[in-house]
Amino acid sequence: MTLSILTVCTGNICRSPFAALYLQSKLSGLTGVTVSSAGTMARDGDSMTDEMGALAERFGLEPGTHSARYLVEPYIEKADLILPLTRGHRSEVVQMVPRKLLVTFTVREFARLGSLVSDDEVTAAAAAGGSDAEKVKAVCRLLASRRSQGDPAADPALDDVIDPYRREDEVYELSVAQMVPALDEIARVLTLILKAA
């Protein structure tokens, strides 16, 4: 059984393809996990921007494999975990397929909530599930329960990743700097989930 993860941004040529490629590389040691991306205003077939492609290569990723996809409901329906890059993208996803609310978190939100739970809590929640998709859903329920606890984002915008499209190289660098630590945390949580008995 394959676990399907979807990252979502606007044009699907900067943030979401980087996030998908990076997360796929971090989870490459696990079998049956696929990470794809799509954009709410994407043009099918577009390549990553040169700037984001160069940054992706710096992390050992292969941006040339990316081809943009316009976000449609079947992509959302098929995904077991949806990771939009901003709260606006998250709202669009949930409006399209409301029943996916439980498994839709912005990249930085998932990471922030993931950092509030221990490895044991993640493993215990995952162990209550059956399939990998059910394990992920159980841990998403755990993370959602922490939204009202701990340390909510002081500024809701901290759950977003800045859009670098048509902006300076420094903004591309900032966008990646916001994504990488969050994606590392997501990979940590997902690895715990998928290794849970």
Side-chain angles (χ1 to χ4, degrees):
M1 178 105 177
T2 300
L3 182 75
S4 177
I5 301 167
L6 177 68
T7 63
V8 178
C9 71
T10 305
N12 193 212
I13 53 175
C14 296
R15 293 168 290 176
S16 59
F18 179 93
L21 289 170
Y22 187 90
L23 198 53
Q24 185 77 64
S25 74
K26 282 288 178 177
L27 300 173
S28 61
L30 301 169
T31 56
V33 180
T34 63
V35 189
S36 61
S37 63
T40 59
M41 295 176 65
R43 292 186 312 184
D44 286 333
D46 278 358
S47 302
M48 281 177 79
T49 62
D50 291 342
E51 298 89 342
M52 191 59 85
L55 288 169
E57 287 176 348
R58 194 188 300 174
F59 286 89
L61 309 175
E62 296 182 14
T65 61
H66 175 69
S67 179
R69 302 188 307 165
Y70 178 71
L71 182 68
V72 291
E73 289 183 14
Y75 297 161
I76 300 170
E77 292 281 4
K78 182 183 160 195
D80 301 304
L81 176 64
I82 304 155
L83 298 168
L85 274 296
T86 69
R87 290 162 296 140
H89 298 130
R90 183 184 62 197
S91 294
E92 290 187 67
V93 166
V94 173
Q95 283 171 13
M96 288 174 75
V97 186
R99 68 182 189 83
K100 289 292 186 172
L101 173 64
L102 177 64
V103 294
T104 304
F105 297 80
T106 75
V107 165
R108 295 180 82 189
E109 178 191 26
F110 188 104
R112 177 171 58 80
L113 296 171
S115 70
L116 298 176
V117 296
S118 68
D119 289 6
D120 288 346
E121 287 175 294
V122 172
T123 302
S131 67
D132 287 345
E134 287 167 350
K135 289 177 181 179
V136 168
K137 192 176 284 189
V139 172
C140 284
R141 204 170 281 116
L142 170 67
L143 297 186
S145 74
R146 297 302 164 93
R147 280 187 171 127
S148 60
Q149 300 172 14
D151 182 23
D155 175 359
L158 293 176
D159 280 342
D160 295 347
V161 170
I162 193 168
D163 184 1
Y165 184 58
R166 290 184 172 166
R167 299 175 74 180
E168 303 82 10
D169 288 348
E170 292 78 12
V171 184
Y172 273 90
E173 296 272 2
L174 175 58
S175 184
V176 168
Q178 291 176 341
M179 283 190 281
V180 166
L183 294 166
D184 285 341
E185 176 64 17
I186 292 168
R188 181 191 74 82
V189 173
L190 287 171
T191 300
L192 286 169
I193 292 170
L194 296 172
K195 288 186 172 177

